Every structure is written in structure tokens, then in C-alpha cells.
């Protein structure tokens, strides 16, 4: 439907803008050399640049194939989930130790 297409296009612009803002903030906070020292930042930067090029070249229609590269953002989500799972393991150990102290005293 036409409404769904419009919503997807607007959300594409909004999310790409947010990711570009995140990239610019990281670049200004860390500096260029610290930013490119992290491979995940390089990966995110490439995806953002591809997304911006796709939005700018959207009128021509030739850059629509670049949308497939944005699916690689899922890898960033997987990395964050792995970090979250490692953190939850440490929190669970702490909670068990806390429960043991509460039970003893």
C-alpha cells in the first residue's frame, strides 16, 4: 500500500539521520584517529555513508541496490546482545552472592 511505502521512506530518512548524527558525535568526541581505530566504528561509518548516498541518489533510482547493505546493521545488534549477555552473567553472579549474604545474616 502507498501509506506503508510513505511510512517506510520517512522512517528510513529518520533512522539514517539518527545514525549519521551518532557517527558525527562519535567523530567529534573521539577524534578521527580514535574513531577509525575501532573496526565496529569503521563498519558503522561505511553503512551510514552508503545510506546517505542512497537517500541523496534516490531521485535517480540507481542507488536502490545500496539498501541491501543496510541489513548489515543487524551485526551491530548482535554485538550489543553479546555484550548484554556477558553483563547479565556478571549481574547474576553478583545477585547470587548478595542472596547468600542476605541468607547468612
Amino acid at each position: 500500500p502507498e501509506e506503508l511505502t510513505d511510512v517506510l521512506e520517512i522512517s528510513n530518512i529518520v533512522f539514517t539521520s539518527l545514525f549519521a548524527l551518532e557517527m558525527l558525535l562519535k567523530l567529534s568526541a573521539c577524534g578521527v584517529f580514535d574513531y577509525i581505530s575501532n573496526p565496529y566504528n569503521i563498519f558503522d561509518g561505511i553503512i551510514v555513508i552508503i545510506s546517505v548516498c542512497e537517500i541523496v541518489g534516490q531521485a535517480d533510482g540507481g542507488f536502490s541496490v545500496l539498501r541491501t547493505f543496510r541489513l548489515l546493521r543487524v551485526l551491530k545488534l548482535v554485538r550489543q546482545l553479546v555484550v548484554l549477555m556477558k553483563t547479565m552473567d556478571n549481574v547474576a553472579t553478583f545477585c547470587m552472592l548478595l542472596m547468600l549474604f542476605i541468607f547468612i545474616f
Side-chain angles (χ1 to χ4, degrees):
E2 186 67 29
E3 296 86 20
L4 180 62
T5 304
D6 293 339
V7 169
L8 288 176
E9 290 298 324
I10 291 171
S11 64
N12 178 27
I13 293 170
V14 168
F15 285 120
T16 301
S17 301
L18 288 174
F19 285 131
L21 179 65
E22 176 193 15
M23 185 181 89
L24 291 174
L25 287 175
K26 276 186 173 180
L27 274 169
S28 65
C30 299
V32 175
F33 295 113
D34 286 338
Y35 183 81
I36 61 173
S37 66
N38 187 348
Y40 288 110
N41 287 338
I42 295 171
F43 174 73
D44 289 339
I46 290 170
I47 297 299
V48 167
I49 290 169
I50 288 173
S51 298
V52 169
C53 289
E54 187 266 328
I55 288 175
V56 170
Q58 194 172 20
D60 298 335
F63 289 112
S64 62
V65 73
L66 295 177
R67 289 184 181 198
T68 58
F69 289 108
R70 290 186 308 194
L71 293 174
L72 296 175
R73 288 183 184 156
V74 174
L75 295 176
K76 182 179 178 181
L77 178 64
V78 168
R79 179 179 60 109
Q80 290 175 348
L81 288 175
V82 168
V83 170
L84 181 66
M85 294 303 286
K86 287 180 182 178
T87 304
M88 293 305 291
D89 184 40
N90 293 336
V91 169
T93 304
F94 175 74
C95 286
M96 292 299 284
L97 188 61
L98 183 64
M99 292 297 284
L100 180 65
F101 283 134
I102 291 172
F103 181 70
I104 289 173
F105 296 112

